[in-house]
Amino acid sequence: MHQQVAVLLSQIEIELKKLQLWSVVPPSAEALASLAPFCCDTMPLEQWLQFIFIPRMGALVEGRLPLPVNIAVCPIAEEAFAPLTEAKLGLINRIADLDQLLSGKRIQQSARC
């Protein structure tokens, strides 16, 4: 499963880059220290994905450490990236794929492609 997670994390990164949502400038230390879910009070979701979620999940994969089993990022992604365009659906679907792989549940309102 670790390899599947690594592939999905890479695909999420690719989708963020395709949408020009990948940043070369990291958030401030204060923004990264947020205790709010998804750091929603200090940064947009794409920055949380890039600077917190992908690196932390990547570290779990690299270390072959236990992966989360109760995860649901897709619902907040659908809200954060609304209105959903065809281009954004690729990103939403990869996030939903990761949720489903880890938790066994797919909570996705938008159409799958």
Side-chain angles (χ1 to χ4, degrees):
M1 180 181 296
H2 285 84
Q3 182 59 36
Q4 292 170 290
V5 170
V7 168
L8 286 170
L9 291 173
S10 177
Q11 290 173 346
I12 290 168
E13 179 177 335
I14 289 167
E15 293 295 334
L16 286 166
K17 287 177 178 176
K18 279 198 301 193
L19 293 167
Q20 299 182 339
L21 296 173
W22 195 258
S23 178
V24 293
V25 179
S28 69
E30 295 82 20
L32 291 168
S34 170
L35 297 178
F38 309 103
C39 296
C40 64
D41 60 340
T42 60
M43 67 183 76
L45 188 67
E46 61 266 19
Q47 285 188 342
W48 177 81
L49 288 166
Q50 178 182 350
F51 293 104
I52 295 178
F53 183 72
I54 292 173
R56 287 184 184 173
M57 290 296 293
L60 294 177
V61 168
E62 268 188 43
R64 293 275 200 217
L65 298 168
L67 297 166
V69 294
N70 187 15
I71 184 171
V73 178
C74 188
I76 190 70
E78 287 180 306
E79 184 178 316
F81 298 121
L84 294 178
T85 61
E86 189 173 327
K88 292 177 187 174
L89 282 177
L91 174 60
I92 297 299
N93 284 312
R94 298 305 70 80
I95 292 170
D97 291 344
L98 184 60
D99 283 356
Q100 185 172 15
L101 176 65
L102 294 172
S103 71
K105 298 179 230 164
R106 187 179 197 101
I107 305 169
Q108 181 178 4
Q109 300 299 313
S110 56
R112 285 172 79 172
C113 63

